[in-house]
Amino acid sequence: MGNFRFHQYQVVGRALPTATDEHPKIYRMKLWATNEVRAKSKFWYFLRKLKKVKKSNGQVLAINEIFERKPTKIKNYGIWLRYQSRTGYHNMYKEYRDTTLNGSVEQMYNEMASRHRVRCHCIQIIKTATIPSKLCKRESTKQFHDSKIKFPLVFKKVRPPTRKLKTTYKASRPNLFK
Amino acid sequence: MPFKRYVEIGRVALVNYGKEYGRLVVIVDVIDQNRALVDAPDMVRGQMNFKRLSLTDIRIDIPRVPKKKTLIAAMEAADVKNKWENSSWGRKLIVQKRRASLNDFDKFKVMLAKIKRGGAIRQELAKLKKETAV
């Protein structure tokens, strides 16, 4: 909860009406971008690939940010993505456990960057969905589907409560147990 | 030595970093390996990293992700507030807070009280020394 780098936007647009086509079809896309300007730009990028329309002969009718409906409920998110690696394009399906969709998308970007060295501009999100617990495929998300979950915090790092109290050297060796 | 304090639903924890520093919260669900869904009677339910939490010995009986009313009722039934304030950890924190909020006059009073106590101890010690010496 809090600041997300990636916001979810709904962009609605269509081609400009011409003499031959008075009422062109209206298209709606849900996409992730860091701000509204980028969202509109991404909208035209994807729409160009799907239909014969460009920003110069089209118009954006509406752009709204989509917020999480229930940010206090934990959900399992499945994200289908297409990313460009050093050798070509690949599809991938990843699962995340989070309270908000924006949070899980941000997790996805971070994970792709760390595990596969893929930067965020090389990732296209195809689809996202909240998955009910029974249909989750990954063991790492399924291991938290336990109503009596219980585990100890094994490695307890001693941290000063504010960064101002941080020191480079300590007088005694910190006790990491419990 | 096995572990005694587990992360589980109903475990009471103390926030030890960040904006919510010093607040007692209850773990109502586990999101993943690093984060928990955390709730307290006077805050909006939110997620928190385990690194910001210090687990306590207190544990209350709640179902997974309870409603606010159920949570407050369970906390009253388990008497978390009193248990915390009577525990040695809780008492230490209360004393720390009191000491930090003293004004100058209070500190003067503390100084006088310390001198008085030191004087009384030394008197008793002198008495005992005289008895053993003789």
Side-chain angles (χ1 to χ4, degrees), chain B residues 38-91:
Chain B
V38 134
D39 206 357
D42 54 345
M43 80 181 221
V44 180
R45 187 189 300 159
Q47 65 174 351
M48 209 166 249
N49 197 317
F50 288 126
K51 291 187 178 176
R52 293 195 174 196
L53 297 175
S54 301
L55 304 179
T56 65
D57 284 325
I58 310 172
R59 185 177 175 273
I60 66 179
D61 221 346
I62 48 171
R64 202 177 75 106
V65 191
K67 289 207 198 314
K68 208 54 169 238
K69 276 198 304 200
T70 337
L71 178 69
I72 295 178
M75 283 186 88
E76 295 290 316
D79 211 8
V80 169
K81 198 158 150 51
N82 281 338
K83 265 201 225 161
W84 175 245
E85 282 168 9
N86 294 338
S87 71
S88 53
W89 187 357
R91 271 183 282 139

Side-chain angles (χ1 to χ4, degrees), chain B residues 87-99:
Chain B
S87 71
S88 53
W89 187 357
R91 271 183 282 139
K92 264 192 281 182
L93 287 188
I94 291 174
V95 168
Q96 275 177 7
K97 226 182 270 188
R98 181 89 181 85
R99 287 195 181 151

